[in-house]
Amino acid sequence: AGSLMTTKLSQPQSTLAKSLTSTSTNAPYFKAIESTEIPPYLTNCPSNGLCSRLPPDCMTCNTNYSCIYGKTATFDCKVKPHVHCVDENNHEQENFTINMTCQFCWQLATSDYVCTNSTNCMTVSCPRQRYNATCTVRDHIHCLGNRVFPKMLYCNWTGGYKWSTALALSITLGGFGADRFYLGQWREGLGKLFSFGGLGIWTLIDVLLIGVGYVGPADGSLYI
């Protein structure tokens, strides 16, 4: 009976021993990977600089729910792992405070964030077209909420066409359709070329239309 129990118990013990052996063998391997892995935010975090001047991606701050919108408020922050910074006395610290305006990121001024541009909408359409843009707050700006947010913006891209060049071509060579060719409007350019600028009438009309900005590039972009 004793030998039977030993036989039965030896199999679970050997299985347990194998599992422990495999675990202990693999553990250092995973630890080595974790220890050598560098967080992506570290590339934007200066070392041994002032904690209060770190970019927002290098810290984690508690939301101050008692702050008043538009007013300056104090927020308690902590540096992220592997980030090293100091205070005004050059002492390393992890917990610190920063002062920033109480407002969400999407409420910032347009100069405080950068948005994607669209070349698929017409800037000269009436009413003006809008497009869905993805905006990202600049590194040195602190705000509440998500630093990447969607926003509806007016089409404002440019294809590199100059208003002054188009107007000069319309005045000097408008009778040959040079202004329309320059703006990418080939059919209108050929029409002016073979009609001698509509006997001068079309040329005068184009000078006025280009002068006030009514006629623009064929791709729908803005003048520069």
Side-chain angles (χ1 to χ4, degrees), residues 3-224:
S3 61
L4 181 60
M5 290 181 64
T6 303
T7 304
K8 288 183 177 180
L9 290 174
S10 61
Q11 185 173 359
Q13 287 177 349
S14 61
T15 305
L16 178 60
K18 288 181 180 179
S19 63
L20 289 175
T21 303
S22 61
T23 304
S24 61
T25 302
N26 293 335
Y29 176 74
F30 289 112
K31 287 182 179 178
I33 293 179
E34 293 177 356
S35 61
T36 57
E37 185 178 357
I38 300 176
Y41 58 79
L42 278 182
T43 57
N44 298 324
C45 301
S47 180
N48 297 325
L50 287 176
C51 295
S52 58
R53 295 185 179 180
L54 284 174
D57 291 339
C58 306
M59 65 181 76
T60 303
C61 299
N62 296 326
T63 304
N64 187 349
Y65 293 101
S66 62
C67 68
I68 301 175
Y69 173 74
K71 301 293 184 180
T72 302
T74 301
F75 292 80
D76 296 323
C77 302
K78 182 179 181 180
V79 295
K80 290 185 177 180
H82 308 292
V83 177
H84 301 282
C85 62
V86 296
D87 58 10
E88 289 77 4
N89 298 321
N90 205 28
H91 296 152
E92 187 170 353
Q93 63 177 173
E94 292 185 359
N95 300 301
F96 57 97
T97 60
I98 62 170
N99 295 323
M100 67 177 178
T101 304
C102 181
Q103 61 183 346
F104 287 99
C105 295
W106 59 269
Q107 295 173 318
L108 291 170
T110 55
S111 59
D112 293 335
Y113 53 83
V114 180
C115 300
T116 57
N117 213 338
S118 174
T119 59
N120 297 324
C121 56
M122 299 290 289
T123 61
V124 294
S125 62
C126 186
R128 291 182 63 188
Q129 289 186 3
R130 293 175 179 261
Y131 70 98
N132 292 317
T134 300
C135 302
T136 305
V137 180
R138 298 184 185 275
D139 289 339
H140 64 283
I141 302 297
H142 296 276
C143 56
L144 302 177
N146 295 327
R147 298 184 61 81
V148 179
F149 53 91
K151 201 174 184 71
M152 290 288 293
L153 299 177
Y154 283 112
C155 298
N156 60 351
W157 65 283
T158 178
Y161 296 94
K162 293 184 177 181
W163 172 82
S164 58
T165 302
L167 182 60
L169 290 174
S170 183
I171 295 173
T172 58
L173 300 173
F176 301 99
D179 50 352
R180 294 283 185 165
F181 286 128
Y182 172 72
L183 296 175
Q185 302 174 5
W186 295 96
R187 287 180 295 182
E188 292 82 353
L190 291 173
K192 291 182 69 175
L193 177 62
F194 292 110
S195 66
F196 300 102
L199 299 179
I201 298 176
W202 194 349
T203 302
L204 293 175
I205 293 175
D206 271 358
V207 171
L208 294 175
L209 294 180
I210 293 176
V212 298
Y214 185 81
V215 172
D219 57 8
S221 63
L222 292 174
Y223 287 115
I224 59 175

